[in-house]
Amino acid sequence: MGDRSEKGSGKHRRRTTISGDAAAHAKRSGATETLSGQVKEKEPRHETSASKPKSHSDAGDDTFSCHKLQESLLSSDSGYSNYRGILNWCVVMLVLSNARLVLENLIKYGILVDPIQIISLFLKDPYSWPALCLIIVSNVFIMAALYTERKLSVGSVSESTGTFLYSINLAALLFFPAVTVLRVTSMTPVGGVVALGVFTVLFLKLYSYRDVNKWCRETRHAKARTLSRSHSCPSVHKANGTTGYTPVTYPGNLTHRDIYYFVFVPTLCYELNFPRSPRIRKRFLLRRLLEMLFLMQLMVGLIQQWMVPTIQNSMKPFQDMDFTRIVERLLKLAVPNHFIWLLFFYWYFHSSMNFIAELMQFGDREFYRDWWNSETIPYFWSNWNIPVHKWCLRHFYKPMLVRGINKLPAQIAVFFLSAFFHEYLVSVPLKMFRLWAFLGMMSQIPLAYFVGRFLRGNYGNAAVWMSLIIGQPIAVLMYVHDYYVLHYGNASEGVAA
């Protein structure tokens, strides 16, 4: 009986906790403790429970359980983030809804695309090319900047005289083309936009050219005619590697080859030694060229087929001040306008700039960042156009901070400068001054405060997208309405959509 009770108590002890079972085995088997305090156990000679077949009663509910503690996938606490299927659904719905609009447009208006009409956007007279002639004249200002810098490099003129000459040259870069566009009757609005766009880019480039060369002279005087590249300009990330180009030092950069390379590369910030790609990739170049040609034709076709009828049909509600119809026209114009704007972004900032950069072996290809993820207005404006952002930061914003101006006034000044150039590129070619573009840019300041103060995350991103989708059509309708009233007497009587 005593043996049975011992065995029974042993079985009972094996059903206890792990720690108790280990202690009991240690006592019975004479386990010794190591220096670390761990217990070495002998393998039990009895049959483990894992090797025995479990009955339904021993297994309990765990064997047949099909539930566990978890959140629904669409709950924020679930941590689920793979919404690719929903994104594909949104794309399919977008394609189907726009396919209906395309079909409706074709049934109502027929085919309006006219490739020959595109030429009339640039030329009124086939024997008169005022925009092209104006662009060719821009070489005069380039040469003026180069020879001014050469005189400054050898000390023929003082810094104050050089600053005065540069001021005249840069002011003429803005006023001369504007006066020409306003006075020449054969200049079309599209031709005027292209010509003024070239002169605006040239203005920003030559301003940077003047600043960097001035920094080089200051460094040369301070370092006794020794100059390293890091002194003259900030280093830029080398996207595609570099080749064995010989580094240029001041004043060896003051050549025709150097300044014209800077004029044609897709950047607004001058450097003595740009990052260079090792070779020209012909397949990459061909893809970008085909994209440019295809997207250009697509944008022109969409403008003729989709936007022009909608804009024409918007004139009557504007004339009658029918606000309900105006809002309806605005929302109808928002879709094609935004779609064309997105195509233009890809055509200009990706296809065109990469084509030119590849052709010129320009290594820095960061022309845009992820502006589509913008949760604030400032983030969008600092990431969708990197060349302009770098110029504003390097030559306008930081110099104001150095002079002791606070950040907020400096940021407002940057928006003011951008607003000026937006209005300059719209009002002058249209030959009317309404300040819609200027006010649209300046309205970004209170909008930026509101979005940054009250909206966060996805709500902020949605607010940025809404400002892009709705804001641009408002400005388009304002300018088109005023242009029709100014040039045709009365707003066009559109066909009701």
Side-chain angles (χ1 to χ4, degrees):
M1 293 293 290
D3 294 338
R4 290 177 182 175
S5 63
E6 267 183 34
K7 292 180 181 177
S9 62
K11 290 180 182 179
H12 178 72
R13 281 194 296 271
R14 283 195 293 272
R15 292 192 183 101
T16 60
T17 61
I18 296 174
S19 61
D21 197 12
H25 276 292
K27 289 178 181 180
R28 288 200 303 270
S29 59
T32 61
E33 291 187 351
T34 61
L35 291 176
S36 60
Q38 295 178 344
V39 179
K40 295 183 179 179
E41 298 180 4
K42 293 183 178 179
E43 291 291 333
R45 296 179 180 178
H46 64 275
E47 189 178 13
T48 60
S49 59
S51 61
K52 294 181 180 180
K54 290 184 178 180
S55 62
H56 293 334
S57 60
D58 292 336
D61 294 336
D62 293 340
T63 303
F64 306 101
S65 175
C66 62
H67 297 287
K68 62 180 179 179
L69 185 65
Q70 57 185 337
E71 297 287 346
S72 299
L73 289 183
L74 297 181
S75 299
S76 59
D77 295 334
S78 68
Y80 183 77
S81 60
N82 185 10
Y83 296 103
R84 178 178 292 274
I86 296 179
L87 177 63
N88 292 335
W89 170 78
C90 292
V91 173
V92 171
M93 292 298 295
L94 182 65
V95 170
L96 291 178
S97 60
N98 282 281
R100 184 197 66 81
L101 293 176
V102 170
L103 184 60
E104 179 186 12
N105 182 277
L106 291 174
I107 293 173
K108 187 171 185 178
Y109 302 109
I111 298 177
L112 301 177
V113 178
D114 184 8
I116 306 299
Q117 190 182 15
I118 301 174
I119 301 175
S120 65
L121 297 176
F122 296 90
L123 300 174
K124 287 183 179 180
D125 183 0
Y127 301 101
S128 177
W129 300 57
L132 180 61
C133 294
L134 190 57
I135 293 173
I136 294 174
V137 172
S138 65
N139 288 279
V140 174
F141 303 96
I142 298 173
M143 289 297 98
L146 175 61
Y147 286 103
T148 300
E149 283 299 336
R150 285 184 175 180
K151 293 294 184 181
L152 287 167
S153 67
V154 297
S156 299
V157 296
S158 63
E159 285 293 334
S160 58
T161 304
T163 301
F164 176 74
L165 294 175
Y166 254 112
S167 301
I168 295 176
N169 192 38
L170 293 175
L173 264 172
L174 295 180
F175 286 104
F176 172 73
V179 172
T180 304
V181 170
L182 292 173
R183 297 295 298 271
V184 177
T185 57
S186 60
M187 182 78 72
T188 63
V190 176
V193 169
V194 173
L196 290 180
V198 170
F199 273 83
T200 300
V201 169
L202 194 57
F203 171 86
L204 299 176
K205 283 177 177 280
L206 293 184
Y207 191 97
S208 177
Y209 187 74
R210 176 254 182 190
D211 269 0
V212 173
N213 283 296
K214 181 181 179 181
W215 299 337
C216 289
R217 287 191 298 275
E218 293 172 352
T219 305
R220 182 178 62 174
H221 295 326
K223 298 294 182 179
R225 297 182 177 277
T226 59
L227 177 68
S228 64
R229 179 179 180 271
S230 60
H231 291 146
S232 62
C233 52
S235 59
V236 180
H237 175 67
K238 296 174 178 58
N240 292 332
T242 56
T243 57
Y245 294 103
T246 303
V248 178
T249 57
Y250 185 85
N253 63 309
L254 302 178
T255 63
H256 294 85
R257 179 186 180 89
D258 180 87
I259 193 171
Y260 274 103
Y261 180 83
F262 172 55
V263 166
F264 284 102
V265 292
T267 182
L268 299 175
C269 293
Y270 178 68
E271 291 186 10
L272 273 69
N273 298 280
F274 289 104
R276 304 291 289 270
S277 56
R279 61 185 180 87
I280 298 177
R281 298 169 292 177
K282 296 181 177 60
R283 290 185 178 179
F284 181 88
L285 199 67
L286 181 60
R287 286 198 300 269
R288 301 289 84 81
L289 178 61
L290 293 177
E291 287 176 356
M292 290 168 60
L293 296 176
F294 172 75
L295 292 177
M296 174 61 76
Q297 295 297 324
L298 180 60
M299 286 188 291
V300 172
L302 289 174
I303 291 172
Q304 289 180 321
Q305 184 70 41
W306 203 353
M307 282 194 67
V308 172
T310 304
I311 292 174
Q312 289 177 343
N313 293 334
S314 303
M315 296 301 101
K316 185 66 164 62
F318 263 95
Q319 187 179 24
D320 298 339
M321 296 304 292
D322 187 347
F323 292 103
T324 304
R325 295 286 292 173
I326 290 174
V327 173
E328 187 268 337
R329 293 287 101 183
L330 176 65
L331 295 177
K332 189 171 184 178
L333 181 63
V335 176
N337 177 84
H338 187 65
F339 185 57
I340 292 169
W341 180 80
L342 290 176
L343 290 176
F344 174 79
F345 166 80
Y346 188 90
W347 173 81
Y348 185 75
F349 286 98
H350 186 76
S351 300
S352 301
M353 285 194 170
N354 271 290
F355 177 81
I356 298 172
E358 190 69 24
L359 198 62
M360 306 292 293
Q361 292 184 263
F362 181 70
D364 188 2
R365 308 294 175 88
E366 191 187 36
F367 306 125
Y368 55 89
R369 297 191 190 116
D370 60 334
W371 57 264
W372 45 87
N373 294 325
S374 302
E375 296 179 1
T376 61
I377 300 298
Y379 186 89
F380 167 78
W381 286 110
S382 61
N383 285 276
W384 94 283
N385 189 340
I386 294 301
V388 170
H389 172 67
K390 284 182 178 179
W391 187 94
C392 290
L393 199 64
R394 188 193 197 197
H395 299 285
F396 195 71
Y397 180 72
K398 286 185 177 180
M400 283 192 292
L401 297 183
V402 171
R403 292 185 179 94
I405 300 176
N406 294 328
K407 287 186 176 181
L408 182 59
Q411 292 173 352
I412 294 176
V414 171
F415 272 100
F416 185 88
L417 181 69
S418 178
F420 166 77
F421 279 111
H422 276 77
E423 188 65 36
Y424 176 79
L425 292 172
V426 176
S427 290
V428 176
L430 293 178
K431 301 180 181 180
M432 63 180 192
F433 301 94
R434 295 295 185 273
L435 298 180
W436 300 123
F438 182 86
L439 294 175
M441 277 301 303
M442 295 306 292
S443 66
Q444 298 293 300
I445 297 175
L447 180 63
Y449 172 78
F450 176 82
V451 173
R453 179 71 173 80
F454 298 104
L455 301 176
R456 293 287 188 275
N458 292 332
Y459 297 103
N461 183 251
V464 173
W465 279 112
M466 285 295 292
S467 68
L468 295 174
I469 296 173
I470 301 299
Q472 292 177 0
I474 293 176
V476 170
L477 285 178
M478 291 295 187
Y479 276 108
V480 171
H481 172 265
D482 292 348
Y483 184 82
Y484 269 68
V485 171
L486 183 64
H487 291 81
Y488 301 99
N490 292 314
S492 299
E493 301 269 8
V495 180

